[in-house]
Amino acid sequence: MFRTALRNVLAHKGRLLMTTLAVMLGTAFVAGTLVFTDTLGSALRSQNSKSYTDIAVTVSDREAVGRGYDHGTKAHTGPTLTEDTRKAVAALPGVADVRGVVSGFAGIADKKGALIGNGFSTTGTNYVPGADGTDPRYPLVEGRGPKSAGEIALDARTAEKGGYKVGDTVRVAVNGPVMELKLTGTLRTNDPRVVAGGSLAAFDSATAQQLYLSPGRFGELDVKAKPGTDDSALLAAVKQTVPHGNNLDARTGRELADEQDRMIQQGTKGMSTALLVFAGIALFVGIFIIANTFTMLVAQRTKELALLRAIGASRKQITRSVKIEAALVGLTASVAGLVAGIGIAAGLQALLNGPLEANLPDGPLVIAPSTVIAALAVGVLVTLVAAWLPARRASRIAPVAAMSSAEQPATQKSLVVRNTIGLVFALAGAAALAAGAASKEVKLVGAGAGALLIGVFVLTPLLSRPLIALFAPLLRGLYGTPGRLAKENAIRNPRRTAATASALTIGVTLITALTVVGASVNKAVDKETASDLKADFTVTMQNFSMLSPEVAAQIAKAPGVSAMSVERTIPVTTGSHGADGSHGADGSDDSDGADTEWMTAVDAATIDQLATVKVKEGAADALKQGKLLVGSGSAGRTRYKVGDTLAVTYPDGTKGSLTVGGVLESNSSLAGIVAPDAVVGPHAAPGTGPNRVLVKGTDGPTEKLKQALRDATGGNPLIAVKSEKDIKAENRQIVTGILNMMYGLLGMSVVIAVLGVVNTMAMSVFERRREIGMLRAIGLDRLGIRRMVRLESLLIALFGGLVGVVLGIVVAWAGLRTLADTFKGITTEVPPLQILGFLLAAAVVGLVAALWPAYKAAKMDILGAIKSE
């Protein structure tokens, strides 16, 4: 039977080509994902290891690190790392050197004033020269390191982007006005934040301390050991030398490197898992193609299989022969897919580091044995699973019945069983979707969507006749006989049509669902922005850190500002008692179980001009009375009610008492607990600035006011001045970026679905050679034959696209219900032009897929086709 299976594979290799391609593409996706993520992880770990090459022990000040990036958002409560501490550690036996490090963020402006790099990775640090005048962390490309307050060094890529050369004046800022500094040199760095598209600004140590911490203070001490020194023993000595405090953390460089390696491994594993989900979708689509191909091959070989049964082959042997064919096809495709996947990984690495400028660390391709095994196993297993049902059908054909007909129709019993199973799955899925949508339970919606899809796939043969019949009058009217024949051919074998259409349905369903969700989220966010925010402009930091404390006063003096309010987030420790004197919002004594609450402090006198303040309960002017307003979500969570009094401890250690004066309606701009800034602002941590400033203009959101706000904030490239239109555009850009990425990842499944249509039509043409010959003989010309084949393919593709669009909208509707608490008033928005575009795309897929089969059908020799078996 093995020889028979091998002969059949070689005899039908042309008809198995599309199936092989489908398996190969899915396997290539899997192999490419594994090779790329393994390669990236290895390169990142190698780069990480280099970062800790000369570090034996590191002592870090957690508070200083927070202050370096948040600029004063945390009060100093513990011991600090000073120059005296550094010298004391440097004097320990076995210590070769101790480097004091200061870090934070620093935005570099190009010559037009725009920020270079992304706001999240604008890194600032101190340049620490050794005996040779250079900092080993940052090898010089050109020039020298900074030595005084008026100097700066940049990483070479940032300098190139900004068009800066050594000696130029560079505009740089943290969270205040822009500083103009002289560029003394350019550097190289393997800091992943910079490599991934950020920027690096290096100051002299005194300047960095002044900008990020305080004079003489370090955020970190990196200890270099003398040769032969034991790191663990050195760590113990360092711990005894530095001040003791919960904010100070001492670890070996190896421990830090291992921790970073674990984070890298988790990150690449998450990326790999996400990509493999889409690879799984592509392989699932391939299952329909494989099953369809083997079903058609078995149908075309019924007489051959019957003869084998007649001369003694058992059912198991027939089943085994089909499975062996599938295994051979799967193995061949998997090997090709593995090779293609390695090529995809190499190409992706080159693309990201080339035109896309992702600047990922370089490293050799990592082809792990597990990747090879996984790729081969997945390809073979998927092919065997898909061929299982056709193999069973082949073994169940009775020899006499098989010899009497080229293809045996499905029995009435099998159709009833299939439709019953499909109906049960569809109804159960629909019920679960509805229940999940009502309860806003994501897992229930996911399970319901899966069950509904399975049910619809099983019912697709039943649905094909009535849905395809919808297009019949149009086809007959436009194309006459070819149109009528195309419709009859499309519904002649509902199972085949269903399997072909289902491959396309999967891709269209997912793309439609994503599109509807994206459009709905965009609409909801736009509505929230328009209804909740009255300000003409918002002023924020691009990296979401806090603004400088002076910014609010600067904005207030800008010409054209009619009203403004800060928004600052302040953490307070709370206990509460009810209006009747009972302790706790729920009647319990919270004195020993105080919680940390985050308050949003705003200007009570102006906030109603800048944001929508609607009170469900209590006094509308509660803020002006010095009381709190509690957002609906926060009120439900904490059960605060009007009249409750909160005993609070502010960040500066001061204790106070605040009363809840009202409960706000849901508002995206004023969430949680809202407090008057005049009451709680003075007790914020020293140096704390606002998270954002809301601004109302005398003449509305004019460009003149926007420029005035930029000028008032010192032209800081990290400070963003955004209008309502800008905020909406930014939100849309984020959603669009996510959708485009999803579309790209789903593209492979659509390509495989196209191969499925090509495969089905090509094999169908071969199967109907005699029929096509007869049609030619009785007068249907070549154009009519081509048109018939193309229209049949068009009908199948439109059928798959229509079912996919409907399923996608239903799934999206249920999914959107689970987001009702996240996006106020979200509704299901179906973009008609995009949905129509998907149906047109499905039609184009059908027409393109039929080009080659239609050409082959039209070129058949009439007599040869009529004489064929």
Side-chain angles (χ1 to χ4, degrees):
M1 295 309 291
F2 178 80
R3 288 196 300 271
T4 302
L6 182 60
R7 178 184 60 80
N8 285 330
V9 170
L10 296 175
H12 302 117
K13 53 183 178 291
R15 282 176 251 176
L16 289 168
L17 176 62
M18 294 301 170
T19 297
T20 304
L21 283 175
V23 179
M24 186 197 77
L25 289 175
T27 307
F29 203 155
V30 172
T33 293
L34 295 175
V35 171
F36 176 72
T37 52
D38 286 348
T39 299
L40 178 61
S42 175
L44 288 171
R45 287 191 294 273
S46 175
Q47 183 186 73
N48 178 57
S49 178
K50 292 176 183 177
S51 301
Y52 293 96
T53 301
D54 65 341
I55 299 177
V57 174
T58 290
V59 185
S60 59
D61 182 345
R62 298 188 185 97
E63 288 183 356
V65 171
R67 287 172 64 85
Y69 285 91
D70 295 336
H71 292 274
T73 61
K74 299 187 180 190
H76 166 54
T77 60
T80 61
L81 299 175
T82 64
E83 179 62 20
D84 290 339
T85 309
R86 191 193 71 79
K87 290 178 178 179
V89 174
L92 291 172
V95 173
D97 186 31
V98 180
R99 180 170 54 234
V101 179
V102 183
S103 58
F105 64 80
I108 312 300
D110 62 19
K111 293 186 177 180
K112 294 182 180 179
L115 179 69
I116 299 174
N118 58 66
F120 298 101
S121 303
T122 52
T123 306
T125 189
N126 61 325
Y127 189 82
V128 187
D132 61 353
T134 64
D135 189 332
R137 297 175 300 166
Y138 307 118
L140 286 166
V141 176
E142 188 179 1
R144 62 170 176 82
K147 295 180 179 179
S148 64
E151 296 179 342
I152 192 173
L154 301 177
D155 68 282
R157 194 160 59 90
T158 297
E160 182 182 355
K161 284 183 176 181
Y164 292 120
K165 297 180 180 179
V166 173
D168 287 351
T169 298
V170 178
R171 302 180 74 247
V172 58
V174 286
N175 64 342
V178 168
M179 301 174 288
E180 294 190 349
L181 307 175
K182 181 182 178 180
L183 181 64
T184 62
T186 57
L187 317 165
R188 287 198 305 271
T189 178
N190 59 7
D191 187 325
R193 293 169 299 179
V194 182
V195 171
S199 61
L200 174 69
F203 308 93
D204 67 285
S205 291
T207 301
Q209 289 172 333
Q210 184 67 41
L211 288 172
Y212 300 125
L213 297 172
S214 58
R217 185 178 178 187
F218 297 107
E220 184 178 294
L221 296 179
D222 293 338
V223 183
K224 181 179 180 180
K226 293 178 181 178
T229 303
D230 181 71
D231 289 355
S232 298
L234 184 57
L235 174 63
V238 168
K239 285 183 176 179
Q240 292 297 320
T241 304
V242 300
H244 296 285
N246 292 331
N247 62 307
L248 297 183
D249 179 38
R251 284 187 281 178
T252 64
R254 184 67 267 160
E255 288 174 340
L256 289 173
D258 291 343
E259 182 180 329
Q260 290 295 318
D261 282 350
R262 285 192 295 270
M263 292 174 64
I264 291 169
Q265 186 175 5
Q266 289 175 357
T268 53
K269 184 179 180 181
M271 179 192 300
S272 177
T273 301
L275 292 174
L276 287 175
V277 168
F278 290 92
I281 294 170
L283 286 167
F284 184 63
V285 171
I287 286 175
F288 290 92
I289 299 172
I290 300 164
N292 222 12
T293 301
F294 278 94
T295 298
M296 295 174 77
L297 284 175
V298 166
Q300 292 169 14
R301 286 161 38 204
T302 49
K303 289 186 178 181
E304 175 189 330
L305 295 173
L307 181 60
L308 289 173
R309 289 293 312 282
I311 62 176
S314 67
R315 286 186 173 182
K316 285 186 177 179
Q317 287 178 308
I318 297 295
T319 302
R320 192 179 303 128
S321 71
V322 177
K323 288 182 178 179
I324 291 172
E325 288 181 52
L328 291 171
V329 171
L331 183 61
T332 303
S334 297
V335 171
L338 176 61
V339 174
I342 295 170
I344 289 171
L348 186 59
Q349 188 180 31
L351 178 66
L352 290 172
N353 283 334
L356 298 183
E357 297 184 351
N359 296 294
L360 298 176
D362 291 324
L365 286 178
V366 178
I367 307 170
S370 59
T371 298
V372 176
I373 294 171
L376 297 180
V378 164
V380 173
L381 184 62
V382 165
T383 311
L384 285 173
V385 168
W388 178 70
L389 277 177
R392 286 188 72 238
R393 291 196 193 108
S395 68
R396 294 192 175 206
I397 298 174
V400 174
M403 288 183 180
S404 66
S405 175
E407 182 175 357
Q408 298 300 308
T411 64
Q412 186 66 29
K413 180 181 177 182
S414 69
L415 291 175
V416 170
V417 170
R418 177 185 180 122
N419 292 337
T420 302
I421 292 173
L423 188 61
V424 169
F425 267 97
L427 291 176
L433 270 181
S439 63
K440 301 174 185 176
E441 180 58 50
V442 176
K443 291 182 180 179
L444 191 56
V445 168
L452 179 62
L453 289 174
I454 292 172
V456 170
F457 289 153
V458 175
L459 288 172
T460 304
L462 183 66
L463 299 173
S464 62
R465 288 181 180 273
L467 289 179
I468 288 177
L470 292 175
F471 301 99
L474 179 63
L475 293 180
R476 284 198 300 268
L478 291 176
Y479 301 106
T481 299
R484 183 172 57 82
L485 290 172
K487 178 253 184 182
E488 294 298 328
N489 288 335
I491 63 175
R492 177 188 299 182
N493 192 324
R495 287 188 176 186
R496 181 185 303 171
T497 297
T500 306
S502 294
L504 191 60
T505 295
I506 296 170
V508 176
T509 297
L510 294 174
I511 290 173
T512 300
L514 287 171
T515 302
V516 172
V517 168
S520 303
V521 169
N522 275 333
K523 185 69 175 291
V525 172
D526 284 354
K527 285 168 62 177
E528 277 191 356
T529 303
S531 63
D532 295 346
L533 193 65
K534 295 180 180 179
D536 293 325
F537 291 103
T538 64
V539 181
T540 59
M541 295 290 287
Q542 293 198 48
N543 57 1
F544 297 103
S545 63
M546 294 197 175
L547 292 159
S548 170
E550 297 80 22
V551 166
Q554 294 166 348
I555 289 175
K557 296 176 184 177
V561 174
S562 63
M564 60 150 286
S565 172
V566 299
E567 272 192 16
R568 77 174 88 238
T569 304
I570 300 174
V572 296
T573 304
T574 64
S576 63
H577 57 269
D580 59 357
S582 60
H583 291 281
D586 58 356
S588 62
D589 188 346
D590 288 344
S591 58
D592 295 326
D595 297 320
T596 297
E597 295 279 6
W598 292 88
M599 291 186 174
T600 301
V602 298
D603 291 334
T606 58
I607 189 61
D608 57 349
Q609 301 177 49
L610 300 157
T612 302
V613 182
K614 291 184 179 179
V615 177
K616 294 171 65 175
E617 301 175 41
D621 61 347
L623 292 175
K624 294 178 182 178
Q625 298 174 22
K627 297 180 180 180
L628 303 176
L629 288 176
V630 183
S632 299
S634 178
R637 177 174 57 83
T638 61
R639 289 181 286 180
Y640 290 141
K641 58 182 181 295
V642 176
D644 281 353
T645 301
L646 280 69
V648 300
T649 302
Y650 296 108
D652 65 355
T654 305
K655 296 184 182 295
S657 182
L658 296 170
T659 302
V660 177
V663 177
L664 281 169
E665 288 188 6
S666 179
N667 188 302
S668 60
S669 295
L670 300 175
I673 301 174
V674 184
D677 190 60
V679 175
V680 303
H683 303 296
T688 299
N691 297 77
R692 67 174 178 172
V693 178
L694 307 179
V695 180
K696 192 79 170 175
T698 306
D699 301 318
T702 63
E703 282 299 318
K704 183 178 179 181
L705 176 58
K706 192 173 189 177
Q707 187 59 50
L709 295 174
R710 286 179 178 146
D711 294 340
T713 54
N716 188 330
L718 274 171
I719 293 180
V721 180
K722 301 175 185 177
S723 64
E724 179 185 313
K725 183 179 178 182
D726 296 330
I727 295 172
K728 289 180 178 179
E730 189 177 82
N731 292 332
R732 285 183 173 274
Q733 187 176 14
I734 293 171
V735 174
T736 301
I738 295 172
L739 288 178
N740 288 339
M741 182 179 67
M742 295 291 190
Y743 292 156
L745 292 171
L746 287 171
M748 186 69 77
S749 62
V750 175
V751 170
I752 293 175
V754 173
L755 293 178
V757 180
V758 175
N759 195 44
T760 299
M761 296 310 303
M763 294 186 71
S764 179
V765 165
F766 179 85
E767 190 179 70
R768 302 202 304 257
R769 291 185 66 196
R770 177 178 290 181
E771 176 186 320
I772 292 171
M774 291 296 294
L775 289 172
R776 289 292 315 283
I778 62 176
L780 191 61
D781 59 12
R782 293 177 186 268
L783 176 61
I785 294 294
R786 286 198 297 269
R787 185 169 287 168
M788 177 189 71
V789 174
R790 287 199 296 263
L791 290 175
E792 180 183 349
S793 178
L794 173 65
L795 283 173
I796 293 173
L798 279 176
F799 169 54
L802 184 61
V803 173
V805 163
V806 173
L807 283 174
I809 293 172
V810 171
V811 171
W813 167 81
L816 287 168
R817 294 301 91 211
T818 66
L819 299 176
D821 291 337
T822 305
F823 300 100
K824 181 178 64 176
I826 191 169
T827 57
T828 304
E829 298 291 328
V830 180
L833 292 180
Q834 286 178 275
I835 298 301
L836 181 61
F838 296 152
L839 290 175
L840 290 176
V844 171
V845 164
L847 291 174
V848 171
L851 289 177
W852 181 66
Y855 171 79
K856 295 291 289 184
K859 295 291 285 185
M860 279 185 189
D861 176 70
I862 298 176
L863 293 178
I866 292 174
K867 290 191 297 180
S868 65
E869 290 290 334

